[in-house]
Amino acid sequence: MSRTCSSASRELDEPIAGTAATARTWLLLEQPGPWGAEALTSSHLDPSLGRALKAAAKGTGVRIALIRRAGRHADSGASAARRVYAAHTVPGNVWLHAATVADPEHLLDLDFAALGRGEPETFGTALGGGPHTGDPLALVCTNGKRDRCCALLGRPLAAELAASGTEGVWEVTHLGGHRFSPTVLVLPYGYAYGRAEAHAVKEVLHGAQEGRIVVEGCRGGSAWERPGQAAELAVRRAVGEYTAEALSVVTTDGAAPRWSVTVAHADGRRWQVTVAQGASLPPRPESCGSVLGSPARMDVVGIRETTMAASAS
């Protein structure tokens, strides 16, 4: 087998901070059976519904993905009840709600703009859902139709976690960053991980249960754009702050290839973080089968704590 995009990325020790998919709110719909590359319109979900959901979510900050239980993916076609989750990942208003629906068409009754703003009421009104009371969710990307690494590496990881009795494990259609496979998103806090191994995912889930973020192998929090993801992780490491909702990205000034990111602590402290966009060299495939390229990387080149007075001036 030729070298995969993930093996190339691993061998070149490509940094993974600041590479997570961006979404303030995640909406997850259980859909058994096979998935195509564009799962909302190329799965056993009615493609017209998939198109309508994609249109409804556009520009709202809501990202929709399909999920399924780990294991074989036969779909009998029966109208079985499906699990639906919505998670808002912005610190200070993090929540995870769950519902069970018999007809996924009901998702079109959701107020997507409200979900994107972090208002969960529509989830209960439209779907009869409520706060999720179980363990945190571990979403493992396994969609081999997007990239073979997700199937070759993601599916065994999801199966191993499920077989070990780890709760909250689902396969998911797309988290981006195939070359960091296996990739995992953990909800409710919305931090993504790359090159994941089962023991590490269990530690991440244990941390999330306790309201703590594990930074090893972390790609970033999905609530922020890529420069903010890198900046927030850098501050966590610099000051040893691992409490889940302690830090927020409050401003990101500038444009590629250089940003100034303000990271705020819930206790009032602030940091000015300088993030520079670099190119990953030597060239490598960004996904399997693609031409060689130099993926953008987020390099933190400076962290400076500022006083509240200085920040306000």
Side-chain angles (χ1 to χ4, degrees), residues 227 252-261 275-277 298:
T252 300
D253 297 318
R258 199 171 185 89
W259 298 267
S260 179
V261 181
V275 181
Q277 179 176 300
M298 297 291 123

Side-chain angles (χ1 to χ4, degrees), residues 60-300:
T60 64
V62 177
R63 185 176 176 121
I64 306 174
L66 302 182
I67 57 173
R68 63 190 177 198
R69 291 295 187 185
R72 298 185 61 188
H73 302 139
D75 181 9
S76 65
S79 57
R82 307 159 186 243
R83 292 295 281 170
V84 183
Y85 295 98
H88 190 63
T89 63
V90 177
N93 185 31
V94 168
W95 48 260
L96 174 60
H97 284 216
T100 301
V101 299
D103 184 355
E105 290 271 354
H106 291 310
L107 270 67
L108 292 174
D109 296 331
L110 290 167
D111 182 338
F112 283 84
L115 286 177
R117 292 192 300 267
E119 302 165 10
E121 292 77 16
T122 180
F123 198 76
T125 303
L127 305 181
H132 173 65
T133 57
D135 291 337
L137 304 185
L139 310 172
V140 183
C141 186
T142 63
N143 191 350
K145 287 295 193 297
R146 290 198 72 99
D147 193 284
R148 59 178 172 159
C149 287
C150 298
L152 292 172
L153 301 174
R155 289 191 65 187
L157 174 63
E160 181 180 355
L161 288 167
S164 71
T166 303
E167 297 293 330
V169 177
W170 293 87
E171 297 186 6
V172 68
T173 46
H174 185 46
L175 297 177
H178 320 293
R179 64 190 185 282
F180 304 119
S181 295
T183 61
V184 181
L185 176 73
V186 175
L187 295 175
Y189 298 112
Y191 285 79
Y193 294 81
R195 301 177 188 138
E197 298 178 2
H199 68 89
V201 175
K202 291 177 183 179
E203 172 58 30
V204 170
L205 289 170
H206 180 65
Q209 188 81 57
E210 297 180 337
R212 177 171 46 83
I213 301 303
V214 173
V215 298
E216 289 76 17
C218 189
R219 299 175 61 194
S222 75
W224 322 121
E225 298 292 338
R226 291 185 61 184
Q229 294 172 12
E232 191 250 15
L233 283 175
V235 172
R236 284 193 178 279
R237 289 191 173 96
V239 303
E241 177 57 82
Y242 307 113
T243 303
E245 296 184 69
L247 299 179
S248 293
V249 175
V250 292
T251 61
T252 300
D253 297 318
R258 199 171 185 89
W259 298 267
S260 179
V261 181
T262 303
V263 177
H265 195 290
D267 66 10
R269 286 178 291 164
R270 290 190 173 212
W271 295 264
Q272 213 67 39
V273 185
T274 303
V275 181
Q277 179 176 300
S280 299
L281 297 172
R284 78 288 311 274
E286 292 196 47
S287 59
C288 288
S290 70
V291 297
L292 297 183
S294 300
R297 51 186 280 174
M298 297 291 123
D299 296 323
V300 172

Side-chain angles (χ1 to χ4, degrees), residues 8-22:
S9 176
R10 190 183 294 261
E11 289 166 17
L12 294 168
D13 198 25
E14 183 180 349
I16 64 175
T19 67
T22 300

Side-chain angles (χ1 to χ4, degrees), residues 44-65:
H44 287 184
L45 183 71
D46 181 345
S48 63
L49 173 58
R51 286 189 292 270
L53 288 171
K54 189 174 182 179
K58 186 175 181 179
T60 64
V62 177
R63 185 176 176 121
I64 306 174

Side-chain angles (χ1 to χ4, degrees), residues 4-35:
T4 62
C5 66
S6 59
S7 63
S9 176
R10 190 183 294 261
E11 289 166 17
L12 294 168
D13 198 25
E14 183 180 349
I16 64 175
T19 67
T22 300
R24 293 192 303 271
T25 302
W26 291 84
L27 179 63
L28 309 169
L29 168 63
E30 182 178 5
Q31 176 57 58
W35 297 329

